[in-house]
Amino acid sequence: MSSDHDLPVSTHTRRSIFKLGGGAVAAATFVGVAATPASADPAGSTTEAVDRVPRNYSTRDPHAGTVRTRRKRRGSDPVITILPIDNAKFRAGGRFDLRVEVDGVTPIDAKVTIRVAGPTGPAAVLDKKAHRPYAASDQVVILYPDLTYPEPGEYTVEVTVVRKGAKTIRASVTHEVVGAGEGGAKNVVFFLGDGMGTAAITGARLLSKGMTQGKYRGLLAMDTMDDCGLVGTSGADSIATDSANSMSAYMCGHKSSVNAMGVYESSETDHDRHPRVETMAELVKRTRGMSVGIVSTAEVQDATPAAVFAHTRQRAEYLAIMDQALDPVRRPEVLMGGGLASLLPKSHEDSRREDDRDLVEEFQAEGYSFASTRAELSKVADESPDRLLGLFHTRNLNVYLDRQQIRDPKVLGDWDDQPTLMEMTAAALRVLEKNDEGFFLMVEAASIDKMEHPLDGPRAVYDTIELDQTLRLVREWAADRDDTLIVVTADHNHAMSIAGTHDTREGAGRDGNGVYGDAGFPTYVDSDGDGFPDDPDPDVQLFFGWSNHPDHTDDFQHNPTFLDPAVIDDETGRAVPNPQRDPDAELQLGNLPVSSTTCVHTVEDVSIFASGPGSHRFNAFLDNTEVFHRMIDALGIDATRDR
């Protein structure tokens, strides 16, 4: 039942393909698969220095430290890498790229055979033409794009490498493939509190509801969800994750590497050419014609919002991510947050683009209504558009405390009319609920993480309260419906903890820190009942501790103006305490690498809460990839069917 076909690969290569019926391929052999380089033009970093420190110092983006600096170790024997990785889980009919890399061989002398076996024997999966991307001189690379596993069951991909005068080497991976779930949900609203560990939730409850004699005077909306569990957040490359690959696990059902989304990390040098897996946006649009909404307080190209639809090895590729956002196969019907700088033509003073494209106009040409202020959003929402683009800052939105309460003109600048997360989400629901096929809405409180990195506990907690109030709004919207699954979780944990209280009446610095019985209770007051304390700096406030941190000074009180805890000494490249933040306070010696200016993500599990049809599936410990599959099961999506 098989036949051999010799096909020219290059002037010095040939390929032998073994076919099974229907033109699909269960095995393929490649001999001498050398290739020539393809052009690549990776975009540069999108980070920028902030002029708020002395001239001899510079600030650093919190994610600058996520770049891998240690080389991967490899022995003397050739190494076979198969992507997707071992134990990966797929939906039957879900799209993915298969990439095989063989390192440490001479390409002209290596014969590589790839076999795929399914639940009933050889599986006709290799039904696309194999590509041979650029590879190093001692490497063989083979890529099959856009494959699918046709039916549920266990599949094995086996690679055999035969070399002249050397031993044969083999490697294999096993993949689990599942079919459509039982369904029950028409819509999914997925809340992501970036970096929202237990300390952020506890702090939000203490500040928003208060406590009397050890009992809370009220509960958060997430406290009263139907089901809850825990999620493990580690990635394919490390126990410590970042927001890109952790959110990608939720949106694809596959592990990835730090800074990557929608792809498996390979040796490819072009960030856009790593092997892809189908994203949530692509899947729900392809199979059911559902609408997709993204609401975030970050730039809409940032890791969490982008992972809903995008594929890239490098989360900083904001311009390439925006190009993907315009592709109809993954384009969200609602896109709201910050990040206007990536859409404005280079002639605009706030643009980060290097061309004259105006992506706002391009979205409008596709039928999007556009809003850039809170007032404009209110007006546009009342007009009930079919598509909505809302960008309310060139960068990230300001945090809730600065945006809604303090409102310092020096901090807000021209962006003094930004909406709340509640207002953006309410507008998104008005657009998305019009689709009879349902919708997937992702809502992110991004600056929980963005304030935890620089050790700013109060600002992180206020943004956690904003997330919870947005959850309350969505739960009220869904109260009379039985078709909407609501899920709340975090992408990773963080260094923040609450050790007790800090009482300014007892003394400055550490003298004011109370623990155990001396902690008592904080004295935050919410006189207007809006759920946010009137003053983040009462006499007795929370004493925030940090499990990891740089060298910095800390007076343990709320900082009226946000400042980074540490900066880079430009002469030495080492992090030093920021001389403008708590300059007279005691030095806290750091425990991070000497170039770190902020705290980093931690490895502990995060909580997950769910209500609505299918919520029982989340009442357990889950790997982060499993969250994707539980949501798809609740929707009852059959990935083998295109609409």
Side-chain angles (χ1 to χ4, degrees), residues 273 287 390:
R273 295 186 178 181
T287 59

Side-chain angles (χ1 to χ4, degrees), residues 402-432:
D402 294 327
R403 172 177 17 106
Q404 302 301 137
Q405 284 196 209
I406 300 175
R407 297 191 56 77
D408 183 348
K410 294 180 181 179
V411 172
L412 298 181
D414 294 335
W415 304 97
D416 59 356
D417 191 27
Q418 301 170 50
T420 65
L421 190 64
M422 295 80 81
E423 290 165 338
M424 289 190 290
T425 302
L429 289 172
R430 295 179 67 175
V431 175
L432 298 171

Side-chain angles (χ1 to χ4, degrees), residues 161-179:
V161 180
V162 177
R163 299 166 295 152
K164 294 180 180 178
K167 67 178 181 180
T168 297
I169 58 174
R170 293 181 175 84
S172 65
V173 296
T174 300
H175 294 156
E176 177 188 2
V177 181
V178 297

Side-chain angles (χ1 to χ4, degrees), residues 64-82:
T66 63
V67 178
R68 187 183 298 127
T69 59
R70 298 174 181 175
R71 296 181 62 184
K72 289 185 176 181
R73 301 179 185 274
R74 195 186 84 188
S76 57
D77 292 335
V79 175
I80 300 172
T81 301
I82 305 171

